[in-house]
Amino acid sequence: MILSTLAITEVNCAPFQDQRPGTAGLRKKVSVFRQPHYLECFVQAIFDTLKLPQGARLVIGGDGRYHNTEAIQTIIRIAAANGLREVVVGQHGLLSTPAASLVIRKYGAAAGFILTASHNPGGPDGDFGLKFNSPTGGQATEQVTEAVFRASQQLTGYRIADLPPVDLARTGHTRLGELAIQVIDPAADYTALMQQLFDFDAIRDWLKSGHRVRFDAMHAVTGLYARRILVDLLGCPPDSILHGESLPDFGGLHPDPNPIDAAGLVAESMRADSADLLAASDGDGDRNMILGPEFFLSPGDSVAMMLASLQQIPGYRSGVPGVARSMPTSRALDVVAARLGIPCYETPTGWRFFCNLLEAGLIGLCGEESFGTSSAHVREKDGLWAVLFWINLLAARRCSLKDIASQHWRTYGRHHYQRWDYYTADTARANELVAALRSALPGLRGRQYGDVRIESADDFHYRDPVDGSESAHQGIRLVLGNGSRIVYRLSGTGTTGATLRVYLERHVHDEASINSSGSEILAPLGNLAAELARIHEFIGANAPTGMI
Ligand code: VG1
Ligand code: CO
């Protein structure tokens, strides 16, 4: 049954062939998304695949990038034409990815649409993206996104309701015929949850005793959340937040919280008057970078140290049943999990692979090397949550970030870690490189390079322990005898060309190696990785285009 009081138009058009979602949703240039019928067709393919019950509720929100509000209006019209009756949308069209995950679950929505290209640049020449989440608040599984892709290729058109634009500026309830619309405060539910998990009183005391926090919102979605939590509730001065205004082009910044794109914050951390904790988040608020005075916290270390510190944080005192990390993420987490006697699952890259484990109660903490960490409180990674976790930990421990890390490394050893990215415009050559490496795997096993031996070489294949689904070709990994590991995979979030990611890791125990720089320890491994994959021969690169 279609909504009776709404005028619905059936639009016929040819299907698009390029709507295959990547690591986290469909990401394309804004100009691609703005082609006539493009967004409409993708959304129709989602509804055709999900077959949501008539009258169902939908949550919509985005990171505020260019095209956000126009796309929301289009999605509402398609949703109405496909029988949805209730839409919950963030004020001004904003919802950070973790807040959207929470809202989807809390409001009992049948699905959620999150409009974001995450850390990719925004603006008219930038990127746009769309991902859809399940009623749990988690990202659609690989099986569902593949089914949507197949549906999109066979589409003959879409249905769209003739509706005036919804006023997104004011919170409250409105109706358009049979469609009920609720515009919500994007930060209210999220803020309340953070107050349950963390010790806001202890943090306030810590701040009152002269400690300082600096948060870079990169002109993306987290500005409003950070103001509400850090400034209004915790009492940080307003200038603790940098680039706090949400702008459609992110003020021309690249909203990726890493030492390169947030170099200004790194420079601040090196100054004598550095804040005690400096942090940044990405476009949609699911990533985090954590710094302390003269200290960069590697994301793989962050999740391992969180696990070792759960007792200090009110929401986590009873511990977690297990943990998980994406395959390329450093194995620092495994070492702590082993010490605690809990399982550590290894999943393919992308948050969607953690969702089944979280939902089944097998894990309560998980992370990725790409500045992503979260717990079972939502089904997405959560940037501000990680920042609050670390602030709470500093307040509880009353020592510096660097001291916490040094103590951790003395106990567990240190996993030096780097990611070397090689970009090429020639996607075909990048695919050939990976194919050649894959076929070379049997010959690599047992090979000796100087004083290291390749102990194992394989192409990561994942079997989900909850639903038994299989995901093949999730990255090539070489485990070396001296605590080192090399992982190769192609990025699934770019919108042009191809990026080969080479992940390097080495576990060290002696004081001198622990205190050495990562670059020094990992340079020989990076060079070996380039040689083994014949990177220069395939894509002509002599050096990485980016190192994180
Ligand atoms: C990257 C990261 C991956 C992360 C994904 C989405 O994917 O490596 O760990 O889950 O981005 O993060 P890829 O395929 O480019 O390596 V976000 O903040 O864009 O939702
Ligand atoms: Co993101």
Side-chain angles (χ1 to χ4, degrees):
M1 186 195 78
I2 299 297
L3 288 179
S4 53
T5 59
L6 295 174
I8 290 161
T9 310
E10 304 267 349
V11 179
N12 293 320
C13 63
F16 294 89
Q17 297 302 322
D18 66 342
Q19 298 190 327
R20 174 178 245 149
T23 312
L26 182 70
R27 290 186 198 179
K28 299 283 173 193
K29 290 271 166 230
V30 166
S31 53
V32 173
F33 261 105
R34 295 184 82 186
Q35 293 170 84
H37 314 306
Y38 192 88
L39 173 66
E40 290 85 342
C41 282
F42 186 61
V43 173
Q44 185 65 54
I46 295 171
F47 284 128
D48 287 351
T49 307
L50 298 185
K51 299 190 176 37
L52 302 178
Q54 294 289 308
R57 179 178 287 172
L58 184 69
V59 166
I60 313 178
D63 62 11
R65 69 180 56 226
Y66 186 80
H67 200 50
N68 189 47
T69 44
E70 294 86 337
I72 288 176
Q73 300 291 356
T74 302
I75 294 172
I76 291 175
R77 293 170 63 207
I78 307 250
N82 280 276
L84 280 94
R85 298 289 171 88
E86 290 184 44
V87 170
V88 176
V89 52
Q91 188 180 20
H92 303 299
L94 298 175
L95 276 176
S96 75
T97 286
S101 179
L102 174 65
V103 168
I104 292 165
R105 206 176 169 101
K106 187 167 168 187
Y107 286 70
F113 281 69
I114 307 178
L115 287 73
T116 175
S118 190
H119 55 287
N120 296 19
D125 301 323
D127 293 344
F128 193 75
L130 177 61
K131 59 183 180 182
F132 49 98
N133 288 30
S134 71
T136 64
Q139 290 179 23
T141 62
E142 198 183 24
Q143 292 69 38
V144 174
T145 57
E146 282 299 302
V148 168
F149 175 53
R150 286 193 299 274
S152 75
Q153 291 179 303
Q154 282 143 29
L155 216 68
T156 53
Y158 58 89
R159 332 183 170 88
I160 187 157
D162 182 12
L163 288 176
V166 172
D167 177 7
L168 299 176
R170 272 172 302 136
T171 56
H173 296 262
T174 46
R175 292 197 77 85
L176 289 172
E178 290 175 43
L179 184 69
I181 295 147
Q182 187 180 357
V183 178
I184 60 166
D185 172 348
D189 298 302
Y190 182 82
T191 302
L193 178 59
M194 294 302 117
Q195 285 175 282
Q196 286 166 27
L197 297 177
F198 300 112
D199 188 343
F200 274 43
D201 288 333
I203 297 175
R204 262 182 230 115
D205 288 347
W206 178 76
L207 289 164
K208 273 191 202 130
S209 62
H211 295 97
R212 284 182 304 121
V213 167
R214 189 89 160 134
F215 179 78
D216 190 344
M218 304 186 103
H219 284 313
V221 79
T222 45
L224 83 108
Y225 295 86
R227 254 191 315 279
R228 191 77 62 84
I229 295 172
L230 298 177
V231 178
D232 299 350
L233 288 172
L234 291 170
C236 290
D239 67 2
S240 308
I241 299 174
L242 252 121
H243 306 126
E245 195 192 345
S246 159
L247 298 174
D249 66 347
F250 306 125
L253 301 174
H254 186 186
D256 193 352
N258 66 57
I260 300 165
D261 295 298
L265 205 62
V266 176
E268 276 195 31
S269 74
M270 303 307 282
R271 292 207 307 248
D273 64 346
S274 164
D276 299 276
L277 183 128
L278 306 94
S281 190
D282 69 332
D284 61 329
D286 59 357
R287 295 187 174 208
N288 73 92
M289 179 178 72
I290 307 285
L291 305 164
E294 295 181 340
F295 185 75
F296 164 73
L297 181 65
S298 169
D301 274 350
S302 176
V303 66
M305 291 174 193
M306 283 179 171
L307 177 60
S309 315
L310 290 181
Q311 299 310 318
Q312 316 269 345
I313 310 294
Y316 299 90
R317 288 224 165 95
S318 51
V320 291
V323 291
R325 61 167 173 80
S326 66
M327 186 275 279
T329 301
S330 106
R331 294 170 295 175
L333 184 62
D334 307 38
V335 178
V336 183
R339 192 76 63 97
L340 292 172
I342 58 169
C344 178
Y345 297 86
E346 189 174 42
T347 57
T349 293
W351 207 262
R352 57 189 167 169
F353 292 102
F354 293 134
C355 293
N356 275 351
L357 300 173
L358 287 162
E359 206 54 37
L362 295 178
I363 62 167
L365 179 73
C366 43
E368 291 193 281
E369 51 65 43
S370 54
F371 300 85
T373 334
S374 198
S375 81
H377 69 290
V378 287
R379 295 290 176 272
E380 288 277 6
K381 56 188 187 253
D382 188 346
L384 211 47
W385 169 88
V387 175
L388 289 168
F389 191 111
W390 274 103
I391 297 176
N392 196 156
L393 191 55
L394 290 182
R397 296 278 304 266
R398 296 269 167 173
C399 63
S400 73
L401 191 60
K402 202 182 209 167
D403 289 343
I404 294 178
S406 304
Q407 211 175 317
H408 186 94
W409 295 332
R410 275 201 298 277
T411 312
Y412 300 99
R414 179 177 184 181
H415 288 75
H416 282 291
Y417 192 88
Q418 280 189 350
R419 191 180 87 194
W420 293 12
D421 285 344
Y422 295 83
Y423 174 79
T424 172
D426 193 342
T427 306
R429 284 302 275 167
N431 287 327
E432 283 165 30
L433 180 155
V434 173
L437 192 55
R438 196 172 284 138
S439 28
L441 287 177
L444 287 175
R445 273 173 223 130
R447 280 262 290 272
Q448 189 82 26
Y449 289 90
D451 57 355
V452 290
R453 185 168 174 272
I454 300 181
E455 302 288 349
S456 73
D458 68 355
D459 186 1
F460 183 52
H461 184 102
Y462 181 64
R463 186 170 187 281
D464 185 304
V466 179
D467 65 15
S469 58
E470 313 254 339
S471 300
H473 306 307
Q474 295 296 323
I476 288 171
R477 54 182 178 180
L478 309 179
V479 178
L480 289 87
N482 63 347
S484 302
R485 191 179 65 149
I486 302 170
V487 172
Y488 305 87
R489 60 178 282 281
L490 292 177
S491 161
T493 57
T495 54
T496 54
T499 299
L500 172 70
R501 303 205 193 282
V502 181
Y503 306 84
L504 308 167
E505 170 191 343
R506 183 160 173 201
H507 191 193
V508 298
H509 298 273
D510 63 286
E511 187 87 17
S513 307
I514 283 178
N515 294 325
S516 298
S517 81
S519 306
E520 208 176 298
I521 296 274
L522 297 172
L525 194 63
N527 296 333
L528 175 64
E531 183 190 320
L532 293 176
R534 294 146 61 198
I535 293 177
H536 178 69
E537 182 186 327
F538 277 98
I539 60 175
N542 284 314
T545 26
M547 276 188 186
I548 290 170

